[in-house]
Amino acid sequence: YGQGYGAESEAPAEDSAGAASPGAHQERSADADSRPGLGTQWGENRESRVGTAPFFREAQTPFAVTKLFYNDRTGVQAMARRDGISSARLSNGALTVRLLDSSGRPLEGFTSGGTTHVIGEHNQRYIIQIKNNTGGRFEAVATVDGLDVINGRKGSFTNRGYIVAPFATVEIDGFRRSTDTVAAFRFGSVRGSYAAQKGDDRNVGVIGVAFFQERGSRFPWT
């Protein structure tokens, strides 16, 4: 089995040996310099203590996946129609994913054709909030701009994630640096994004979360 990660405070996380780092940057794509919109930067250090716990997956493929597309107001308005506060509901409301600002308020959002769009502003800090509305545990593997939020490498379903306890809320507020700290999520230019600095800005503007069922659980329910 592999380890999932359980939070001791707000966010959950990973072992420091696999933590992300802003070093060893690769050459970014040529159009990152001129591409409009927002990306997520490697922000300031924030305290976020976590520990590890065993989690056995029922299957190695997720039972639910969601994506949130973020941009500045002009970019979002060009793509979607207004539909109030933006959040993603999965599996008939069993799980909810949304973005919060640094004060804990949901970011304004739009929906279009079943796609969720969220409005951000340059230099704004944000948090990924995951809410479990069931009595079962789940593992959540999250990516920002195509990068795993725990190890900073390319997103993959084989990566381990955060354990979301029954009827609990997990808040992920940065790229994991160690079991004690994260680098805050901050909106910035595509050129200045962590993904572009690592050489691949193709998925900048997309936040993804994949959910895995725990072995032996009775989800989904009739």
Side-chain angles (χ1 to χ4, degrees), residues 134-154:
T134 79
R137 292 200 315 169
F138 299 102
E139 182 182 5
V141 176
T143 60
V144 171
D145 297 348
L147 300 179
D148 188 277
V149 299
I150 288 177
N151 60 33
R153 295 188 284 269
K154 182 178 179 181

Side-chain angles (χ1 to χ4, degrees), residues 40-140:
T40 296
Q41 298 180 333
W42 178 276
E44 71 279 8
N45 283 355
R46 293 187 58 82
E47 183 178 346
S48 177
R49 294 178 178 163
V50 298
T52 62
F55 185 97
F56 298 84
R57 293 178 178 178
E58 181 69 26
Q60 293 307 307
T61 55
F63 72 87
V65 177
T66 190
K67 292 181 180 179
L68 302 176
F69 295 82
Y70 68 85
N71 207 331
D72 54 27
R73 185 173 295 275
T74 300
V76 170
Q77 287 177 336
M79 298 176 66
R81 63 178 177 81
R82 184 154 189 166
D83 196 30
I85 297 298
S86 188
S87 63
R89 298 174 70 250
L90 293 84
S91 300
N92 297 318
L95 297 154
T96 303
V97 179
R98 60 181 181 173
L99 301 188
L100 310 178
D101 65 18
S102 59
S103 299
R105 295 185 295 264
L107 296 184
E108 186 178 357
F110 296 75
T111 60
S112 179
T115 301
T116 302
H117 302 269
V118 182
I119 297 173
E121 299 178 0
H122 277 270
N123 203 41
Q124 182 180 36
R125 186 169 70 86
Y126 72 88
I127 299 162
I128 304 171
Q129 184 192 68
I130 301 172
K131 186 175 182 181
N132 181 0
N133 302 305
T134 79
R137 292 200 315 169
F138 299 102
E139 182 182 5

